[in-house]
Amino acid sequence: MSETATQAESPTYKRVLLKVSGEALLGGREYGLDNATVKAIAEDVRDTVALGVQVCLVIGGGNIFRGVAGASAGMERAQADYMGMLATVMNALAMQNALERMGVQTRVQSAIEMSSICEPYIRRRAIRHMEKGRVVIFAAGTGNPFFTTDTAAALRAVEMGCEALLKGTQVDGIYSADPRKNPSAEFYTRLTYLEVLARDLQVMDAAAISVARENGLPIIVFNIHEPGAFREVMLGHGRFTTVKDD
């Protein structure tokens, strides 16, 4: 293989965090996990790791329980958020199972200690796992109520020294409106952090955007359901939106 071809297939980033919403695991279901969807995402993670990329993940829990929804139904917000954190642990274990069935060594680290089923979150241990080629899944958010898993993803990405935060969504990037509802919505190839906030594009919450901006962490938004999209984005291919300052 020529040097040019080799360079063309080199990943853009060497260490990244992938944020996947809990809803992304639903598939065609209204609640819970769709095994085929979990497997498809795991395959994409496996193929990305095969490029030599160090990968960690944060998975939301909205397919099982959303703290905000519980609070709006009358629950105490902190209690509802803790329940949501437990939902993220369930999703993390499901993804770990899918990855390890494919031969990918995986560790789950939880911000809330559950020593019988996963490791506690320890920053230096997590970094060492990734250096050894293991995928690390961070569960239970930040371990604190009132913070979303988007914010947890931005925080963990910075703590891990990741070069980018990837947000796998239901569409292929950031639009001026939901393209599934508004076919004329404008697609953005590149935005700054302040543009995302000023236009209220809601791809991630304001706290997550602020953490990324303060630390110069690029956010890349793509369609998690497009087969092989994670790997393709790592190679600079496909359709996606990049959020970073010029």
Side-chain angles (χ1 to χ4, degrees), residues 50-110:
L51 293 173
V53 180
Q54 296 176 14
V55 177
C56 51
L57 286 86
V58 168
I59 305 175
N63 57 317
I64 300 172
F65 188 88
R66 290 181 61 85
V68 172
S72 65
M75 294 185 67
E76 180 190 7
R77 174 62 190 273
Q79 193 80 337
D81 279 354
Y82 281 122
M83 292 174 66
M85 291 178 214
L86 296 180
T88 72
V89 177
M90 295 171 68
N91 285 338
L93 294 175
M95 185 61 67
Q96 179 185 41
N97 177 74
L99 286 166
E100 292 198 333
R101 287 173 67 89
M102 298 173 188
V104 180
Q105 291 192 16
T106 309
R107 298 291 187 272
V108 174
Q109 289 197 351
S110 172

Side-chain angles (χ1 to χ4, degrees), residues 195-208:
E195 285 173 335
V196 171
L197 294 172
R199 299 177 190 180
D200 194 25
L201 296 174
Q202 299 182 353
V203 64
M204 300 184 89
D205 65 77

Side-chain angles (χ1 to χ4, degrees), residues 127-173:
I127 291 172
R128 185 61 177 147
H129 284 321
M130 285 191 291
E131 289 173 345
K132 291 182 177 181
R134 299 167 184 154
V135 171
V136 180
I137 307 174
F138 299 114
T142 65
N144 301 289
F146 307 105
F147 291 93
T148 68
T149 50
D150 279 348
T151 301
L155 176 63
R156 294 290 184 251
V158 172
E159 288 181 302
M160 293 300 105
C162 291
E163 297 171 350
L165 165 58
L166 282 89
K167 176 75 181 284
T169 67
Q170 315 298 318
V171 294
D172 54 3

Side-chain angles (χ1 to χ4, degrees), residues 18 23-24 27 34-35 53 73 84 93 105 121-122 124 127 137 148 159 163 175 190 203 216-217 220 226 242 245:
L18 173 64
E23 288 87 345
D34 178 69
N35 288 332
V53 180
L93 294 175
Q105 291 192 16
Y121 171 65
I122 300 174
R124 290 174 63 88
I127 291 172
I137 307 174
T148 68
E159 288 181 302
E163 297 171 350
Y175 289 79
R190 188 182 179 102
V203 64
L217 177 71
I220 301 172
E226 185 69 29
T242 301
D245 286 334

Side-chain angles (χ1 to χ4, degrees), residues 178-194:
D178 188 341
R180 296 169 296 182
K181 299 178 181 178
N182 182 0
S184 62
E186 179 185 358
F187 175 79
Y188 300 114
T189 301
R190 188 182 179 102
L191 292 163
T192 66
Y193 304 105
L194 289 180

